[in-house]
Amino acid sequence: PDKRPEVVLGILPLSHAYQQTLGLFTPLALGSKIVFLKINNSIELLESIKKFKVTVIPLVPRVMELLYSSITRKVKNKNVRNLFALLASQSRFLPRLIRRRLFFFVHNEIGNTLTTLVSGGSPLSKKIDYFFQGLGYKVMVGYGLSECSPIVSAHFGQFRKAGEVGKPLPGIQINLSLDGEVMVSGENVFLGYWPDISFENSLATGDLAEKTKNGSIVLKGRNKNL
């Protein structure tokens, strides 16, 4: 029998290039189903995951933080809650099937079909990243800008440093300036801002980073707040 298609839940505005790419065009190209929420709150989110058997959600760290709070606040005792969060984070080294069975009560609450969370738009904290990995979810992270169509790099593995966003996608080059600013070049980079369309060199992103030995990008902050 054919594999059932992925069901992608769209919770971000379609005016965002990130949502258009990962929540619309990519799922359509892969033959996936897409579910769009009319109301964006935690109750509607959980109901939709169960009702439509959602498997993948592209989201931003803020939504993952809300999910984290929604899960952990069900444990009333603060000490037990902290122990639960620590146990979940430390469990990320176990085989994923074991993790999902160990935390079956969370998956029953959220929806057993959900397997993958894709985070982008801003840095994902180590605490949130490790927590959801420990619960048995596959957590992917990426880095990009609207001016870069929008994805620049992605990390699909589950073992990464805090702030690590993976290697550049094919056809994209990333260099670091002398002060560590991320400079992006490639056909994905826009031509420039209207009306002064004269963009020719690498796009200075304003993001500061360093590279690992294997060429993966680790974000360290920003040099300007724009």
Side-chain angles (χ1 to χ4, degrees):
D2 293 335
K3 181 182 177 182
R4 293 182 62 182
E6 300 285 358
V7 181
V8 179
L9 183 62
I11 62 176
L12 304 175
L14 277 170
S15 55
H16 292 187
Y18 169 44
Q19 175 62 27
Q20 288 180 22
T21 302
L22 291 183
L24 181 62
F25 299 137
T26 301
L28 288 178
L30 296 176
S32 303
K33 295 181 179 179
I34 309 172
V35 177
F36 292 105
L37 284 185
K38 290 184 178 180
I39 303 173
N40 194 351
N41 58 54
S42 58
I43 296 176
E44 184 82 7
L45 174 63
L46 295 178
E47 288 179 350
S48 297
I49 293 171
K50 291 181 177 179
K51 180 179 179 180
F52 298 102
K53 301 185 186 304
V54 171
T55 59
V56 182
I57 308 179
L59 33 63
V60 293
R62 178 58 181 157
V63 177
M64 293 184 70
E65 290 168 6
L66 291 175
L67 277 175
Y68 172 88
S69 297
S70 178
I71 294 169
T72 56
R73 73 184 175 206
K74 292 184 180 297
V75 182
K76 303 302 181 182
N77 185 284
K78 183 177 180 180
N79 292 329
V80 177
R81 186 189 311 142
N82 292 336
L83 182 61
F84 163 60
L86 178 61
L87 177 62
S89 297
Q90 294 299 321
S91 297
R92 71 187 188 278
F93 298 107
L94 297 173
R96 196 150 72 98
L97 182 60
I98 293 178
R99 283 178 273 152
R100 291 185 72 88
R101 288 180 176 175
L102 181 62
F103 297 101
F104 71 92
F105 52 93
V106 175
H107 297 280
N108 288 341
E109 180 71 20
I110 294 179
N112 288 308
T113 59
L114 182 61
T115 61
T116 307
L117 302 173
V118 184
S119 177
S122 61
L124 178 64
S125 72
K126 182 171 65 174
K127 181 181 79 170
I128 301 297
D129 190 2
Y130 290 175
F131 176 78
F132 281 100
Q133 285 188 42
L135 292 180
Y137 294 104
K138 186 171 184 179
V139 182
M140 301 179 184
V141 297
Y143 166 67
L145 307 88
S146 295
E147 295 90 339
C148 295
S149 305
I151 304 173
V152 173
S153 67
H155 197 301
F156 304 108
Q158 302 302 284
F159 299 102
R160 50 179 168 259
K161 299 179 179 180
E164 187 173 359
V165 291
K167 297 179 181 180
L169 298 186
I172 300 176
Q173 296 81 45
I174 291 182
N175 294 302
L176 301 181
S177 68
L178 292 177
D179 62 354
E181 183 175 5
V182 177
M183 313 292 289
V184 182
S185 58
E187 293 186 359
N188 63 307
V189 179
F190 78 148
L191 296 177
Y193 291 107
W194 180 267
D196 184 25
I197 301 179
S198 58
F199 192 84
E200 296 179 356
N201 301 313
S202 298
L203 172 68
T205 64
D207 294 307
L208 301 176
E210 62 183 26
K211 284 186 178 182
T212 64
K213 292 181 179 179
N214 67 355
S216 186
I217 305 300
V218 181
L219 296 178
K220 292 296 184 180
R222 286 187 59 78
N223 65 2
K224 56 185 177 182
N225 292 316
L226 289 176

